[in-house]
Amino acid sequence: MLRPRGVSRGGAASHRPSPDSTVTVPLQPSAAVSDVLSSAPASGPAVPPPQAPPAPVEFPLGWMLEHAPASLRFRAAAEVARLPANVVRELEWLPLAHPPAITLALAQRPDGSWGDSMLGVPRPGAAWPEGVGTIQAVRRLLEYGWDRESPPLLRSRRLLFRLLAEDEDPAYLFEFADGATDEDLVRRGRGILREAAAATLAQAGYERDPRLRGAAQRILERVAEYLRSPLAQKPWVRVGNKQVLAAEAAPPSIYLLTMLAHMPLFCSEHWEELDRIYGYVTQPQPRQEAVQLVGDHLVEQPYLVLGDPMPHRNAVDADVPSALAWLELAARLGLLRRCEHWNKLFDRFLEDRGRDGVWHPHRGQDMPRTENPAVWPLFPLGEPGDDAAVRAAVTFRLGLIARLSGHPIELR
């Protein structure tokens, strides 16, 4: 039987799990990670001074239940408002009745895949969901609120674990198969797909699976070793008239950060590595583009995070969905309240809400949109062209970020 994500076999909301149930990560606060970071020993990295308790944040649950897409109505009640389990049970059908989610699920192939890619997104103007990749489709269904035990996500699980193991079958390179004759490009393609699969499985709640934990350990060790090395300070080499990343450079990727954001227990065991990553992603962005020397090739690496992706308000206003996705990642990692700059940007988002608590774009600005493929699974989750769904999507994310970062939620 289909069940929305966040609801156990018995129907209870997963933010009140039974002792033997698997915890659904997106409904967990990141307090565990924050507690470990705030209690680091004196010999470890510098610890920020104690902070004042976060201020309460109002959340317009009534408006969300009336105007938001079906999937966000359920998630608003279960994850932000955290209504009693018996109330959440009455809403558990909503994600499964959301038309875009149903259409996406029905587009799955019998082998558990969508299309011939993993990271592809639908082309503008194409019929929904033409062009979507498997990893993007799985993450989108999870964002719609579907449970990992629902048939489409169960069918895709085996495929994701094969990517996690870096299956050497050329067929499992998907969109990276064009470089299958070049060993360096093959290694790069398998590495990207492994990290993206790990992020997806973590988001689905498989943190305790030893296969995922083993892969996460290897991925994190590689990045941590790079961040400890002198190369992290000067990772650029000149090739022709370009400055590019050295072949040995291993900055964190957006998929690594997504994986860690949904593995709070793992992060609590690796707080020192997380602290190094925090220092790296809060540094200024370099002027050079993310292009890396891979064997004899110069390859764009859009998945790498080379510094603070939100250096100023103009960058935020230019891509509101990407900014919200980043703030959510930081909140899940327990890092949002450590960065004064990010906190100010989040407060500015809160100030953009109307008296009804609903977010609205600045006067004269269009409804937010993004071309960032890493953010596509999160936004906007409603029907195309529905402005109310876009406002609901931003309002929901703000409430979720507030909840994840420890703000008390006041319902209205």
Side-chain angles (χ1 to χ4, degrees), residues 196-338:
T200 307
L201 290 165
Q203 185 177 353
Y206 289 99
E207 178 180 11
R208 296 181 184 274
D209 191 292
R211 293 169 293 180
L212 176 56
R213 288 182 63 86
Q217 183 74 38
R218 292 190 294 273
I219 294 169
L220 183 59
E221 283 179 354
R222 177 172 174 265
V223 173
E225 182 178 356
Y226 165 71
L227 295 181
R228 288 192 296 265
S229 71
L231 182 61
Q233 304 301 318
K234 296 182 178 180
W236 306 97
V237 296
R238 180 170 291 278
V239 178
N241 60 350
K242 284 187 175 182
Q243 290 278 351
V244 300
L245 288 168
E248 299 81 10
S253 72
I254 192 64
Y255 300 120
L256 166 67
L257 297 175
T258 302
M259 177 193 74
L260 295 176
H262 293 283
M263 297 182 70
L265 298 178
F266 181 84
C267 285
S268 69
E269 299 165 3
H270 299 85
W271 61 266
E272 187 173 358
E273 290 86 347
L274 186 62
D275 197 78
R276 289 184 183 275
I277 290 174
Y278 169 77
Y280 187 84
V281 300
T282 52
Q283 69 179 0
Q285 285 265 23
R287 295 181 180 180
Q288 298 91 332
E289 296 181 359
V291 176
Q292 187 169 22
L293 183 63
V294 179
D296 297 327
H297 308 271
L298 295 181
V299 182
E300 293 185 359
Q301 298 278 46
Y303 318 105
L304 299 181
V305 180
L306 303 179
D308 187 352
M310 296 193 303
H312 44 69
R313 290 184 177 183
N314 290 341
V316 173
D317 292 339
D319 195 337
V320 167
S322 292
L324 290 171
W326 181 260
L327 291 174
E328 182 181 336
L329 277 181
R332 290 188 182 277
L333 289 166
L335 303 177
L336 178 57
R337 294 186 62 207
R338 293 184 61 184

Side-chain angles (χ1 to χ4, degrees), residues 361-366:
H362 291 297
R363 183 175 299 178
Q365 289 186 340
D366 296 330

Side-chain angles (χ1 to χ4, degrees), residues 369-387:
R369 63 186 63 187
T370 183
E371 296 181 359
N372 185 347
V375 178
W376 180 85
L378 288 75
F379 193 88
L381 301 182
E383 297 281 3
D386 186 349
D387 287 350

Side-chain angles (χ1 to χ4, degrees), residues 14-32:
S14 67
H15 57 280
R16 290 188 177 183
S18 60
D20 58 346
S21 65
T22 301
V23 176
T24 301
V25 174
L27 301 190
Q28 293 179 326
S30 55

Side-chain angles (χ1 to χ4, degrees), residues 70-107:
S71 57
L72 291 184
R73 278 181 261 163
F74 173 77
R75 294 191 64 190
E79 299 181 44
V80 182
R82 293 189 179 174
L83 299 181
N86 62 320
V87 177
V88 173
R89 279 196 296 270
E90 296 298 321
L91 303 174
E92 63 184 28
W93 59 273
L94 285 170
L96 305 176
H98 190 42
I102 296 172
T103 305
L104 179 59
L106 292 175

